[in-house]
Every structure is written in structure tokens, then in C-alpha cells.
Amino acid sequence: MTAQDNQMPARKISVFGREFKMPRSRGLRIAIGILLTIGGILGFLPILGFWMVPLGLLVLSYEFALIRRHRRRFAVWWERRRRPD
């Protein structure tokens, strides 16, 4: 067995049906999530956009239970809203 066999598999994030691989490093994933969220807050500036806030929170939700809980609630609410009664 090599050292790579013992590593955890890369995390994947699904956005609008497409999967994106995230870095294996937890610290790097947290940094990416924070930078996306801060960049989204500055969305009034050129190039940056408010779309970055939900994407940053999505990345962070894979690391922190509090944010993950809100993501799951939103997913359940969204599915109920889309489902015809």
C-alpha cells in the first residue's frame, strides 16, 4: 500500500447537477469558502458578484455542521416547493 491509498477520497460538490472536485486539504477548502463568501459580500465591485456568497457557504457547509444544517433545510424546502401538490 502506498501513502495515497490511505488518504480520504476527494470531496465533490454538486451544483446544478454538475460535480466539482474540492481539494483534499481541509484548510484549503475552508479558505476557498471564506474567500468566496467575502468576495460575494463585495459583489457591488466589478468582477465579484453576489453569486459568490451561496457558493462560499456551500463549500463551507461540507466542513461545519451549523452551515450544513441550513443547507439541508434549504434543500428540503426547495424540493417541497418544486413538487406539485
Side-chain angles (χ1 to χ4, degrees), residues 7-71:
Q7 290 181 350
M8 292 177 26
R11 292 191 184 253
K12 294 180 182 177
I13 292 180
S14 179
V15 179
F16 297 117
R18 295 187 62 192
E19 285 190 348
F20 299 94
K21 288 184 182 179
M22 292 299 297
R24 291 183 191 270
S25 166
R26 182 175 192 255
L28 189 56
R29 288 190 304 262
I30 291 172
I32 289 170
I34 290 172
L35 289 174
L36 282 169
T37 305
I38 291 172
I41 292 171
L42 301 174
F44 58 88
L45 297 173
I47 300 177
L48 302 176
F50 294 111
W51 58 269
M52 296 169 79
V53 172
L55 187 60
L57 292 175
L58 178 66
V59 171
L60 289 173
S61 74
Y62 283 86
E63 301 301 325
F64 299 106
L66 179 65
I67 302 170
R68 183 173 32 250
R69 194 172 310 124
H70 289 295
R71 175 179 50 97

